[in-house]
Amino acid sequence: MRTVTHPEHEHDATTGDKGMNKARPARLDLRAASGGGLFDYAPAPESVRPDIADRYGLFIDGSFVEPGSGNWFPSINPATEGTMSMIAEASTADVDRAVKAAREALPAWSGLPAKERGKYLYRIARRMQERARELAVLETLDGGKPIKESRDVDVPLACAHFFYHAGWADKLKFALPGRDPKPVGVCGQIIPWNFPLLMLAWKIAPALACGNTVVLKPAETTSLTALRFAEICAEIGLPKGVVNIVTGAGETGRAIVEHDGIDKIAFTGSTQVGKMIAKAVAPTNKRLTLELGGKSANIIFEDASLDQAIEGIIEGIYFNQGHVCCAGSRLFVQESILDTVIDKLSDRMSSLRVGDPMDKNTDVGAINSKEQLATISKYLTLGDKEGAVRHDVCNSSLPDKGFWCRPCFYSGVQPSHTIAREEIFGPVLAVMSFRTPEEAISRANNSPYGLAAGVWTDKGSKIFDVARRLDAGIVWLNTYNKFDPTSPFGGYKESGFGREGGRHGLLAYCR
Ligand code: NAP
Ligand code: MG
């Protein structure tokens, strides 16, 4: 194993590996130069602490009920490892109760004048905005993402999805001209832990706008904002049974997928579980949309604005601890600028702040769970073993408790290396080089996934030519990880099918 470390931390707390072989001279160490104090930020903790109940039941037919299973599981704060609340585990019978409630609510909800349905969505959006700070704090405590992410990205975007779809509710005939759109029926929706409230919004907002009712399962490690959303539904007087939230683990998800009373499954999660769901749904009449994993490529050409590109690359992979399905986890750099890009990347990364997610200055928060940290560590070990060079260039010290991984990147990566092929879902970037645009395109497309990509160049004709030839559902040009409810999102190949957002996203929820 060859590793490039910053002199300040020769020891990596995540894997216990010793740093060695400083391949390049150490850069100016700002913290050391300032005597360790001048450039340190004072703590800036978020002060709002919303009430969190000792335990939360299932939200079925408009109210919170005890789980028939009698089972509860803890929701952990990954930055402290403390238990925040006990969450109900929905059994097959509980899922059945929820599906029946959704079925009973369907005729009245789908029969409402569309304008009235739209009003409910507006009410949800406004109430979410009013409670935005509380939602952001809960998201951060439960999932480990920095408060500046949940406050400035997740929650505002979730609200925007409800506002956007509220507008469509009475205009579906314009969205789908020449057709007479009808709701699909009862929708079973299963979401992951990386954007808990935002994924909920992506699922529930279009479903309700098109007149469907839903049974949604959040991920086991991040149920709290979905349960707060349930409170909001009750608070704004959403008719009971229109939204049902059943918490639990994979078995609860499976019960939703296999339930006969469900007309459509919408799933966001891993490709592995997505394939199982596709098999289970294939012999039924259920409709299916899948938003799965990715191994997205960022391509930098020698004529790009490099400083701008470095910011985009950092945001694309280290933002949200790399827990982003469309993370730009493969970086292809034109050979002539490889050394410059590695230097600039190292310098920028040395100043990333890892730590307390509730601190407003934190760039990289806690890894969502112990299991995910183990997965990332497994890939770091593989990356080292297979011969890539790890650059441990981030200076931040890590807290004693909680699940942490210092962001790093690898150079000397071969296309056959595991870290170049498999989704790591952590703050780990694989840097590779290319010579010609043709080579960049073929190497970027050499992946079973096809979710997103980024292209960085100042040449207009090149950017459009390359973008057109990349097998990816989303291609960002001279930017990365930008989202908007009006813009459809979804993948090719093993990244799934179906689109969420925009006019295209409505199709999934209409007959
Ligand atoms: P996951 O294990 O597939 O879980 C996703 C959801 O499915 C969770 O709610 C999970 O419950 C549930 N689940 C697990 N096993 C199930 C089964 N047999 N039947 C039905 N549901 C089941 O994925 P994850 O590890 O939570 O999330 C990370 C993955 O999501 C990554 O691969 C990422 O790329 C992908 N993702 C994709 C997008 C996209 O839009 N393309 C967006 C975000 C994330 P538990 O959590 O309780 O196990
Ligand atoms: Mg949690």
Side-chain angles (χ1 to χ4, degrees):
M1 180 195 98
R2 288 183 297 147
T3 314
V4 182
T5 59
H6 222 272
E8 197 165 293
H9 64 91
E10 294 268 284
H11 187 262
D12 179 69
T14 314
T15 60
D17 292 331
K18 294 270 182 208
M20 59 187 87
N21 291 354
K22 281 172 222 112
R24 289 178 302 114
R27 277 164 300 282
L28 174 65
D29 182 333
L30 292 182
R31 284 213 293 178
S34 69
L38 186 59
F39 293 102
D40 282 347
Y41 281 69
E46 164 65 53
S47 54
V48 166
R49 293 282 166 160
D51 290 337
I52 299 172
D54 291 340
R55 57 188 220 173
Y56 286 94
L58 307 167
F59 186 71
I60 297 178
D61 208 18
S63 44
F64 284 94
V65 297
E66 298 277 302
S69 69
N71 295 337
W72 304 78
F73 61 92
S75 201
I76 308 287
N77 176 340
T80 63
E81 300 177 50
T83 297
M84 295 172 54
S85 183
M86 296 301 287
I87 311 288
E89 182 185 305
S91 63
T92 307
D94 293 321
V95 169
D96 187 53
R97 267 200 289 173
V99 173
K100 286 197 171 117
R103 178 66 57 193
E104 267 171 38
L106 184 63
W109 178 249
S110 59
L112 262 188
K115 211 164 100 187
E116 297 305 312
R117 273 208 310 275
K119 285 185 195 165
Y120 281 108
L121 279 132
Y122 278 122
R123 261 182 240 165
I124 292 175
R126 282 197 211 102
R127 196 62 189 128
M128 281 172 71
Q129 257 184 349
E130 283 160 10
R131 295 178 70 169
R133 198 150 171 210
E134 168 194 357
L135 290 168
V137 170
L138 277 177
E139 202 74 311
T140 284
L141 291 173
D142 204 13
K145 67 172 65 194
I147 187 70
K148 67 179 179 192
E149 294 291 341
S150 38
R151 183 198 60 199
D152 299 345
V153 180
D154 293 52
V155 175
L157 269 176
C159 298
H161 267 266
F162 278 96
F163 277 117
Y164 175 73
H165 286 95
W168 271 132
D170 62 349
K171 302 172 197 72
L172 294 176
K173 286 191 179 166
F174 298 96
L176 309 166
R179 307 192 212 180
D180 182 17
K182 298 273 189 294
V184 175
V186 176
C187 301
Q189 307 182 315
I190 302 168
I191 56 173
W193 43 260
N194 58 345
F195 291 90
L197 188 67
L198 184 59
M199 290 298 112
L200 173 148
W202 281 24
K203 299 270 179 287
I204 293 185
L208 298 195
C210 298
N212 304 278
T213 58
V214 308
V215 175
L216 176 131
K217 187 194 98 65
E220 195 181 346
T221 58
T222 52
S223 304
L224 289 184
T225 44
L227 294 162
R228 210 45 74 111
F229 177 83
E231 283 179 24
I232 289 176
C233 291
E235 202 183 2
I236 63 110
L238 187 74
K240 58 184 192 169
V242 171
V243 167
N244 303 274
I245 308 281
V246 288
T247 43
E251 279 309 302
T252 306
R254 190 204 298 270
I256 294 176
V257 170
E258 293 177 355
H259 199 289
D260 287 342
I262 282 184
D263 301 300
K264 177 203 158 59
I265 297 289
F267 173 80
T268 295
S270 61
T271 295
Q272 187 194 0
V273 174
K275 284 181 180 175
M276 280 161 46
I277 292 177
K279 268 190 201 157
V281 166
T284 72
N285 282 329
K286 290 184 186 110
R287 289 174 166 228
L288 178 65
T289 42
L290 296 173
E291 301 276 9
L292 307 176
K295 189 76 186 173
S296 300
N298 239 325
I299 303 174
I300 315 189
F301 288 96
E302 58 191 2
D303 56 20
S305 304
L306 285 192
D307 291 331
Q308 186 196 344
I310 295 295
E311 274 312 306
I313 283 145
I314 295 268
E315 190 178 323
I317 179 68
Y318 302 118
F319 144 101
N320 210 18
Q321 300 73 248
H323 299 339
V324 185
C325 52
C326 49
S329 52
R330 291 182 298 153
L331 175 62
F332 293 100
V333 186
Q334 197 152 21
E335 212 171 71
S336 51
I337 52 163
L338 183 61
D339 287 345
T340 314
V341 166
I342 286 185
D343 275 344
K344 282 183 180 283
L345 196 58
S346 304
D347 282 341
R348 178 64 182 90
M349 277 176 73
S350 68
S351 67
L352 286 180
R353 287 179 296 271
V354 187
D356 182 7
M358 287 287 277
D359 192 310
K360 293 166 191 164
N361 290 325
T362 293
D363 298 307
V364 180
I367 300 299
N368 183 265
S369 65
K370 201 174 175 176
E371 292 70 28
Q372 187 57 28
L373 181 58
T375 304
I376 299 168
S377 302
K378 182 193 84 181
Y379 281 110
L380 292 177
T381 307
L382 271 171
D384 299 339
K385 215 168 89 188
E386 292 180 357
V389 183
R390 185 178 341 157
H391 298 249
D392 272 322
V393 285
C394 173
N395 259 330
S396 214
S397 53
L398 302 181
D400 296 331
K401 277 208 121 194
F403 314 129
W404 307 98
C405 177
R406 231 185 244 112
C408 69
F409 70 91
Y410 280 92
S411 64
V413 180
Q414 299 300 320
S416 58
H417 286 169
T418 313
I419 55 163
R421 290 184 289 112
E422 295 184 14
E423 183 179 45
I424 302 175
F425 226 56
V428 183
L429 174 67
V431 182
M432 291 166 273
S433 64
F434 69 88
R435 285 182 189 164
T436 62
E438 290 306 316
E439 190 188 350
I441 293 165
S442 76
R443 295 191 68 183
N445 285 344
N446 181 16
S447 166
Y449 295 111
L451 192 54
V455 185
W456 301 84
T457 163
D458 272 355
K459 195 143 173 41
S461 55
K462 185 153 65 190
I463 209 160
F464 289 114
D465 179 50
V466 173
R468 199 170 44 80
R469 293 161 64 200
L470 290 171
D471 297 337
I474 305 99
V475 183
W476 283 291
L477 307 179
N478 288 331
T479 186
Y480 206 83
N481 264 347
K482 294 287 176 284
F483 299 92
D484 191 281
T486 61
S487 179
F489 184 96
Y492 281 96
K493 302 196 278 189
E494 290 200 11
S495 294
F497 50 79
R499 294 291 177 267
E500 294 190 301
R503 206 169 54 81
H504 304 69
L506 298 169
L507 281 170
Y509 289 98
C510 292
R511 271 191 294 125

